[in-house]
Amino acid sequence: MRSVRLLIVTHAPLAAEFGAGQVAINLAEALRSQGHDVTLWSPHPLPSQTKWWQSVRQMRSKLDAFIKTQAPFDVIDSPALLITPQVSKSALVVARSVQPDILYLMHSLKDRIEKSVRGIIRLPFSYSYSLFQIILVLQGWKRARYILCLGSLELRWMKRGFPWWRNKLMSYVNALSQAEQEALAKVRIHRKKPSPEGIRFLWIGRWTSHKGITELLDFIVKWAALCPQDTFTIAGCGTEAENDCPAELLQSGQLKILPSFERNELYSLLANHDCGLFTSRVEGWGLVLNEMLESGMLVFATPIGGVPDLQPFFPENLKVFPPPLGFKLESFTNSIFQDDYYNVFSWESIAQTYAMAIFDTLNSQKIPTGQLNP
């Protein structure tokens, strides 16, 4: 396969703590290791005076300006939202998803309606802006040669909702970097047996409604009353979570909040907890699933994001949220970690199938097949 000149665009800052940025970095590094010429680009930082409703226009304008200064690319990989007419004319275009944009926008609107009178007052403007973004996403999908969905769940949703684009549709999975996987393997190998003193539950995520925070708190309150020996940690949630959490659980220490943590603190956080909780209503993938499962934790998850793709590899470790009230961790037998997991969930493997499915079509009109499933 000849070397391909590729531009990977992300709408997030290029940093590992941002999910979309992390995916772009990992994909770019894996493709470079295969000998391809990869340029990784983000519109950030945006001007400090940019309002939230101006950010998309700013990103699209910056991308158009950047492309004009560059030598031609063979392939441009971009979120659908940023695929302008200029982008579509510049190379073979892949609209790669990192989150279900339209479902996120619809959920955001619903959340504004439910939250407050202020939200209802702002609804006409919010509705117009969300509709504007949805139109841009649809235009991006139309302009793209391929639409690359994140996970089988989004692929099925796209096939049902947009059957006229079925010949463009493929999917890929998400994964952690090799260094992170090696660190988590050490956590898994050295994981201690559960303490009889109580189950230590862990939830990690942004404190926003689509992460299922209402369902999470409802579970915590019911479980804490039934099993006062068990504890809960909510991590990476920012400062807003404390206002919503029951004061009596915080004061007793049964519920702990860790607003933020450094990336290198993740491993000890996972090692010091027994059960992971994943409660999202809408999710692109949820890399925290990979992190918890690879660390050897038992995880209770809603069937969203990457759950359907991961479950076959963790039939004993990945269970449906919520756990049955009164569940005893002693009854859980940790399954043997399946080595073939890494044959699928590694960036080397993802990049190989990406290259075979998309780059080979630069000189062919054949619709690709393979693990990037059409």
Side-chain angles (χ1 to χ4, degrees):
M1 183 185 300
R2 71 178 179 87
S3 175
V4 169
R5 179 167 162 76
L6 170 69
L7 172 64
I8 295 180
V9 176
T10 176
H11 61 285
L14 291 173
E17 58 264 33
F18 298 94
Q22 184 180 159
V23 171
I25 292 169
N26 287 332
L27 178 59
E29 290 180 352
L31 289 170
R32 284 174 185 147
S33 71
Q34 295 178 9
H36 299 291
D37 179 7
V38 183
T39 299
L40 188 55
W41 184 88
S42 166
H44 293 276
L46 296 174
S48 57
Q49 69 273 18
T50 302
K51 306 297 183 183
W52 61 268
W53 64 85
Q54 299 172 325
S55 59
V56 172
R57 290 186 184 276
Q58 288 271 9
M59 291 180 184
R60 288 165 65 90
S61 296
K62 289 185 72 172
L63 177 56
D64 281 348
F66 175 76
I67 289 175
K68 290 178 181 178
T69 67
Q70 302 298 301
F73 293 99
D74 297 310
V75 176
I76 297 177
D77 174 304
S78 170
L81 191 68
L82 302 185
I83 299 175
T84 65
Q86 171 71 33
V87 171
S88 66
K89 296 174 183 176
S90 301
L92 184 152
V93 176
V94 178
R96 183 173 53 82
S97 172
V98 292
Q99 61 188 32
D101 292 303
I102 291 179
L103 293 179
Y104 268 14
L105 290 166
M106 292 170 62
H107 189 277
S108 177
L109 275 176
K110 180 182 176 183
D111 188 48
R112 288 194 183 104
I113 293 172
E114 293 175 349
K115 270 191 174 179
S116 65
V117 173
R118 181 184 176 190
I120 295 174
I121 293 172
R122 292 181 59 189
L123 184 60
F125 181 72
S126 298
Y127 178 84
S128 299
Y129 183 68
S130 295
L131 181 60
F132 165 68
Q133 288 183 289
I134 289 172
I135 290 172
L136 292 182
V137 170
L138 293 173
Q139 287 179 338
W141 286 340
K142 181 179 180 181
R143 290 168 181 153
R145 174 69 178 277
Y146 299 116
I147 301 171
L148 191 52
C149 306
L150 180 52
S152 60
L153 198 64
E154 186 178 27
L155 178 63
R156 290 198 296 270
W157 180 79
M158 286 289 293
K159 285 183 175 179
R160 289 195 306 268
F162 306 94
W164 52 88
W165 286 329
R166 288 178 72 95
N167 65 335
K168 294 184 177 187
L169 296 175
M170 299 181 290
S171 70
Y172 73 115
V173 298
N174 207 347
L176 300 167
S177 69
Q178 183 176 346
E180 289 173 319
Q181 289 184 329
E182 291 172 354
L184 288 168
K186 293 178 181 178
V187 174
R188 181 175 69 251
I189 293 168
H190 294 100
R191 178 168 291 280
K192 298 178 181 179
K193 291 183 178 180
S195 169
E197 297 178 0
I199 301 173
R200 301 167 297 176
F201 289 98
L202 174 64
W203 185 94
I204 300 176
R206 291 185 295 116
W207 199 248
T208 180
S209 64
H210 79 263
K211 295 288 187 181
I213 57 176
T214 300
E215 292 80 358
L216 172 68
L217 291 177
D218 181 64
F219 165 74
I220 289 175
V221 169
K222 290 178 180 177
W223 192 283
L226 183 66
C227 306
Q229 74 278 10
D230 295 343
T231 60
F232 306 85
T233 300
I234 297 175
C237 54
T239 57
E240 298 86 356
E242 188 170 354
N243 298 325
D244 295 332
C245 292
E248 62 274 15
L249 293 181
L250 292 171
Q251 291 167 3
S252 69
Q254 194 172 2
L255 173 59
K256 301 175 184 177
I257 296 178
L258 184 62
S260 63
F261 57 89
E262 297 296 325
R263 188 68 184 170
N264 59 9
E265 296 177 300
L266 172 67
Y267 310 111
S268 61
L269 187 63
L270 294 171
N272 292 324
H273 289 83
D274 307 305
C275 288
L277 300 173
F278 181 82
T279 59
S280 292
R281 301 174 183 175
V282 182
E283 190 65 68
W285 180 269
L287 266 178
V288 68
L289 287 166
N290 300 62
E291 293 164 350
M292 289 177 171
L293 290 166
E294 290 186 33
S295 77
M297 294 181 74
L298 172 63
V299 180
F300 293 94
T302 49
I304 298 298
V307 171
D309 298 285
L310 290 164
Q311 209 284 325
F313 295 88
F314 299 94
E316 299 300 326
N317 296 62
L318 187 53
K319 303 291 186 179
V320 177
F321 176 87
L325 287 173
F327 165 81
K328 300 299 182 183
L329 195 59
E330 293 80 16
S331 64
F332 165 68
T333 302
N334 197 355
S335 61
I336 298 173
F337 190 85
Q338 300 181 36
D339 289 335
D340 61 343
Y341 167 82
Y342 293 120
N343 295 332
V344 176
F345 296 93
S346 72
W347 280 105
E348 179 183 5
S349 175
I350 295 167
Q352 285 176 349
T353 52
Y354 181 105
M356 287 188 294
I358 294 172
F359 296 169
D360 281 357
T361 65
L362 290 172
N363 298 315
S364 170
Q365 296 301 310
K366 183 179 179 181
I367 297 299
T369 58
Q371 190 185 325
L372 291 169
N373 296 310

